[in-house]
Amino acid sequence: ELKVEQNPLFLSMQEGKNYTIYCNYSTTSDRLYWYRQDPGKSLESLFVLLSNGAVKQEGRLMASLDTKARLSTLHITAAVHDLSATYFCAVDSLESGTYKYIFGTGTRLKVLA
Amino acid sequence: DVKVTQSSRYLVKRTGEKVFLECVQDMDHENMFWYRQDPGLGLRLIYFSYDVKMKEKGDIPEGYSVSREKKERFSLILESASTNQTSMYLCASSPPLQWKTQYFGPGTRLLVL
């Protein structure tokens, strides 16, 4: 069964600090997706990682993928209040002929001024 | 610009009522998805469709059905609403290739009394 786990589930950090969110998954997928959700709003795509060693960066966020370890990280550099949101990773794969797209439980990030 | 719309942002229904949630996308996407989002459980896939009149069960299809009569429209039906179906419902669409991100609608917050 495909499982996607994120940690931490909650993260409160000071502005200017660095931190990393981890996403572990149980299947052999080479594709991993990161989304952001602001309170009361829907999800929007941040990154799509399509191969082992892939790294994508946008502003203060950088995502990487290690398919051998089945691990993706979302690194936050010098956090600012605007980054406060819930971050989800998701993995898709074919399991027993069935297409699956599974989200992690999300990491709720709060950046304190 | 990519657009996924959902028929209602907020909905209040009574136990036993039949509920229709509609989703429309204007991107000519083949794949469409219905999720529910609950605190602590992340997003869970209810049903998805990869073509007109085609549907596949997701992880939690019980108590729900779907309809896809036209490519741009994907409806979620609660045959007889129950209180445990109170949730945020999110619709998404994606192009046919598996390694693509999903585009989400704004969500419908459903309360079943």
Side-chain angles (χ1 to χ4, degrees), chain B residues 13-52:
Chain B
K13 295 291 181 181
R14 297 229 171 254
T15 301
E17 279 192 80
K18 192 168 186 176
V19 182
F20 292 87
L21 303 181
E22 294 223 311
C23 174
V24 178
Q25 50 96 1
D26 65 0
M27 296 161 284
D28 203 35
H29 285 167
E30 276 74 8
N31 300 329
M32 295 188 76
F33 306 81
W34 274 107
Y35 295 90
R36 65 177 281 177
Q37 183 178 22
D38 300 288
L41 296 176
L43 278 81
R44 293 179 291 167
L45 181 64
I46 304 171
Y47 268 97
F48 70 98
S49 168
Y50 51 88
D51 204 349
V52 176

Side-chain angles (χ1 to χ4, degrees), chain B residues 4-113:
Chain B
V4 180
T5 56
Q6 293 182 229
S7 50
S8 306
R9 292 300 304 274
Y10 302 95
L11 212 50
V12 180
K13 295 291 181 181
R14 297 229 171 254
T15 301
E17 279 192 80
K18 192 168 186 176
V19 182
F20 292 87
L21 303 181
E22 294 223 311
C23 174
V24 178
Q25 50 96 1
D26 65 0
M27 296 161 284
D28 203 35
H29 285 167
E30 276 74 8
N31 300 329
M32 295 188 76
F33 306 81
W34 274 107
Y35 295 90
R36 65 177 281 177
Q37 183 178 22
D38 300 288
L41 296 176
L43 278 81
R44 293 179 291 167
L45 181 64
I46 304 171
Y47 268 97
F48 70 98
S49 168
Y50 51 88
D51 204 349
V52 176
K53 296 194 187 294
M54 306 302 286
K55 61 185 179 186
E56 291 283 342
K57 291 180 180 178
D59 298 311
I60 50 163
E62 297 79 19
Y64 304 94
S65 62
V66 289
S67 172
R68 187 136 181 233
E69 295 297 318
K70 292 185 178 181
K71 190 176 185 181
E72 67 271 18
R73 191 179 297 268
F74 192 34
S75 301
L76 179 69
I77 304 152
L78 286 65
E79 297 290 343
S80 177
S82 63
T83 55
N84 63 13
Q85 292 179 309
T86 291
S87 187
M88 169 72 94
Y89 290 88
L90 293 168
C91 173
S93 72
S94 75
L97 297 176
Q98 289 176 12
W99 46 94
K100 291 291 183 182
T101 194
Q102 293 189 9
Y103 298 88
F104 281 83
T108 296
R109 194 170 289 280
L110 173 66
L111 173 63
V112 182
L113 300 173

Side-chain angles (χ1 to χ4, degrees), chain A:
Chain A
E1 183 189 345
L2 173 55
K3 287 187 178 176
V4 182
E5 294 180 343
Q6 285 181 241
N7 70 84
L9 297 183
F10 299 97
L11 177 55
S12 181
M13 56 192 297
Q14 296 288 331
E15 275 193 329
K17 297 290 186 184
N18 304 334
Y19 208 83
T20 300
I21 298 170
Y22 298 89
C23 175
N24 289 90
Y25 57 96
S26 62
T27 190
T28 55
S29 175
D30 290 336
R31 298 178 297 277
L32 190 128
Y33 311 83
W34 283 99
Y35 293 84
R36 169 183 171 143
Q37 185 179 34
D38 291 300
K41 303 238 175 125
S42 194
L43 279 76
E44 60 177 297
S45 173
L46 286 175
F47 301 110
V48 180
L49 303 167
L50 297 177
S51 61
N52 186 40
V55 177
K56 294 272 182 81
Q57 183 160 5
E58 176 88 24
R60 299 172 189 273
L61 299 177
M62 183 173 74
S64 64
L65 178 61
D66 180 345
T67 57
K68 290 179 180 159
R70 298 181 187 177
L71 170 68
S72 179
T73 60
L74 181 66
H75 187 72
I76 303 152
T77 302
V80 293
H81 184 260
D82 284 353
L83 290 179
S84 297
T86 300
Y87 294 86
F88 292 92
C89 63
V91 174
D92 69 341
S93 73
L94 263 178
E95 284 204 337
S96 304
T98 302
Y99 178 60
K100 297 271 189 182
Y101 198 111
I102 305 291
F103 283 83
T105 49
T107 296
R108 187 182 292 180
L109 171 66
K110 188 168 185 179
V111 181
L112 306 171

